[in-house]
Amino acid sequence: MAKGEYIILNGEMLGTNQPFMKDNRAFRFGDGVFESIRIVNGLPYNLQFHIERMLEGVNVLSLEIPNHFSVDYFKGQIKSLIEKNSIQAGGKARISLFRGGEGAYFSESNKAMFFIEASHLPNNYFTLNENGLMVDIYSEMNKSVNILSKYKSINSLLPIMAANFAKKNKLQECFILNAKGKIIESISSNIFIVSNGVLYTPPLEDGCIGGIMRMNVINTAIENGITVYENTLSPQNLLAADEIFLTNAIQGIQWIGGYKSKRYFNKISKKILELINQRESKDVLV
């Protein structure tokens, strides 16, 4: 079997050619949460924070999890899959935790099931995109602010619709709004803007994902003397910004090249990414 063709389903190592549709409410209803995790030097990066956020989301969904579903348990599961798929440098893993059992909207069980996959990436460390992304605002649908807003839901129709909008308009990304018309995130990332050397990013209260890389960028910036404010962002803020960049767990940081007629730099985004890579090349990643 080729590299990267093993998965883990409920603790069992399987080949990807084996179907597992029975009782799969993740597929049928999007009834669960997930985490995407970067692999650096063959090790999962920021894994504890990812698993802690996932378990928080599971609690909000009222899933019943056994006592052994701990941070250490999932660390062991993910590491065993990384080893089985022979990922020795850069890669990515995704873990999905979903409600098992039959039934429709009234599920017959709240028992949690999980699925893990892992694959190679061409780069070991995070790399900044060479060309800035061209973006616009997706306004046909808004994201609701609720108890699930900060978690990664398996139900991802809104970002999929936004991605289709971007593709049709020959864009690489687009921004998502909340019900008040405030910018909260992009298709798959948190957003930062830079104005006069200061970073601004939407607060969780506005409905954005509580991104692990978002937290990493905030901490890295503060540790290196860069001021950061959590501040509500309007479309007008995009036109006043010197830089805009996006953050997520897999790609790290991506800088925005243009929004409408406005063009941007990437000085701060490049500096922060270099600082993150320097630190992680020395530290234990798990």
Side-chain angles (χ1 to χ4, degrees), residues 34-262:
F34 75 94
E35 288 291 324
S36 298
I37 301 156
R38 178 73 184 223
I39 300 168
V40 180
N41 291 329
L43 294 172
Y45 172 61
N46 275 336
L47 182 57
Q48 179 169 340
F49 296 113
H50 282 290
I51 295 175
E52 287 175 349
R53 180 175 64 173
M54 180 184 68
L55 293 177
E56 285 179 11
V58 163
N59 185 57
V60 174
L61 292 177
S62 299
L63 269 64
E64 297 172 359
I65 60 173
N67 292 332
H68 69 273
F69 274 24
S70 63
V71 171
D72 287 338
Y73 174 74
F74 285 115
K75 279 183 180 179
Q77 293 286 305
I78 292 172
K79 286 183 178 180
S80 66
L81 185 60
I82 290 172
E83 181 177 352
K84 185 70 172 178
N85 283 335
S86 303
I87 303 172
Q88 299 177 352
K92 62 179 179 179
R94 172 172 164 144
I95 177 169
S96 301
L97 206 58
F98 55 96
R99 200 183 319 266
E102 298 182 355
Y105 297 118
F106 287 92
S107 173
E108 295 180 0
S109 170
N110 285 324
K111 181 181 178 181
M113 302 176 71
F114 71 91
F115 167 69
I116 309 174
E117 53 194 314
S119 58
H120 296 265
L121 286 177
N123 298 309
N124 188 26
Y125 293 107
F126 298 111
T127 58
L128 194 67
N129 48 308
E130 183 176 349
N131 299 313
L133 306 179
M134 302 304 294
V135 302
D136 204 340
I137 293 174
Y138 177 66
S139 58
E140 295 178 12
M141 293 175 62
N142 295 331
K143 182 178 178 181
S144 300
V145 181
N146 54 50
I147 57 174
L148 290 173
S149 299
K150 69 177 183 178
Y151 304 108
K152 290 190 172 183
S153 169
I154 292 174
N155 184 341
S156 301
L157 284 177
L158 173 55
I160 288 171
M161 293 291 288
N164 285 337
F165 167 83
K167 185 177 180 180
K168 289 178 183 178
N169 289 278
K170 295 180 171 54
L171 303 168
Q172 287 81 50
E173 260 283 5
C174 59
F175 300 128
I176 290 173
L177 306 173
N178 64 16
K180 295 182 178 180
K182 304 302 181 182
I183 295 172
I184 53 172
E185 59 198 20
S186 75
I187 295 168
S188 60
S189 305
N190 289 108
I191 176 176
F192 287 79
I193 71 170
V194 183
S195 184
N196 296 321
V198 176
L199 296 188
Y200 299 88
T201 192
L204 299 183
E205 291 77 14
D206 280 0
C208 67
I209 290 287
I212 305 304
M213 184 55 69
R214 172 185 181 272
M215 176 186 66
N216 196 353
V217 166
I218 290 173
N219 291 337
T220 300
I222 292 173
E223 290 168 4
N224 289 275
I226 301 173
T227 303
V228 184
Y229 291 112
E230 292 185 281
N231 196 68
T232 296
L233 298 182
S234 299
Q236 293 85 346
N237 296 119
L238 302 180
L239 297 174
D242 301 315
E243 294 185 40
I244 303 177
F245 63 88
L246 307 177
T247 65
N248 67 38
I250 301 302
Q251 294 167 310
I253 293 176
Q254 291 189 298
W255 67 284
I256 300 299
Y259 162 69
K260 297 190 181 299
S261 61
K262 177 76 174 183

